[in-house]
Amino acid sequence: MKQIFRRTRVLLLMTLLLAVLMLAGCGKDEGLQDGYYTAQASEYDFGWKEYVTIMVKGGKIVSVEYNAENASGFIKSWDNAYMQNMLHVSGTYPNEYTRYYASQFLEGQGKEGIDALSGATSSYGSFQKLEAAVLEQAQKGDSSIILVDTSH
């Protein structure tokens, strides 16, 4: 009788342990896989195609680049004429808002909301879509470039 009681108790403990381990795995975030990940706009918008590239190391985002390029590969935040025009019209410019959004993304590790910068709300909408897509790629460990519809 004692032997049956011991076996039942051991079986019950093993079942409880297995259940606890399974439940612990259910709510767990898979986390980010190490590597480089890029989400890019599927179409050019006013001659520019925006993108977000992140580097993940040790499960943490260690680098974020947000920018746009034209068909020849020229980077938007390097365009001084565009910067001058946009600064006078909207009070900000690509080199400012791209760095702001990228730094907020890095700081919050993609888990905290990022506030829109006045004068760059259209890019903010695109950034949010690209940010979500690049995080999904990093969770899967898929380093292929994902194309995202960023139209507004």
Side-chain angles (χ1 to χ4, degrees), residues 113-146:
I114 297 171
D115 293 328
L117 204 62
S118 180
T121 53
S122 176
S123 291
Y124 174 72
S126 297
F127 179 78
Q128 287 184 307
K129 293 174 184 178
L130 293 168
E131 172 191 25
V134 80
L135 282 172
E136 187 176 320
Q137 291 297 98
Q139 287 173 338
K140 293 179 193 173
D142 181 357
S143 62
S144 62
I145 295 174
I146 181 101

Side-chain angles (χ1 to χ4, degrees), residues 12-81:
L12 180 62
L13 285 173
M14 288 176 59
T15 304
L16 284 172
L17 179 61
L18 182 61
V20 167
L21 290 174
M22 286 173 52
L23 286 175
C26 286
K28 187 178 177 186
D29 182 18
E30 287 184 31
L32 305 177
Q33 305 296 315
D34 289 359
Y36 289 91
Y37 304 97
T38 299
Q40 182 179 56
S42 57
E43 301 290 328
Y44 287 93
D45 187 25
F46 295 103
W48 301 99
K49 189 180 276 198
E50 293 178 306
Y51 64 90
V52 172
T53 299
I54 64 172
M55 178 184 166
V56 177
K57 189 171 184 179
K60 300 271 187 207
I61 301 168
V62 296
S63 172
V64 177
E65 180 184 0
Y66 169 51
N67 223 310
E69 62 184 9
N70 64 18
S72 67
F74 189 72
I75 302 298
K76 188 176 190 177
S77 64
W78 299 348
D79 189 332
N80 286 328

Side-chain angles (χ1 to χ4, degrees), residues 98-115:
T98 57
R99 288 183 302 147
Y100 171 78
Y101 292 145
S103 69
Q104 293 298 303
F105 183 30
L106 178 63
E107 220 173 88
Q109 292 290 301
K111 296 176 184 153
E112 295 179 21
I114 297 171
D115 293 328

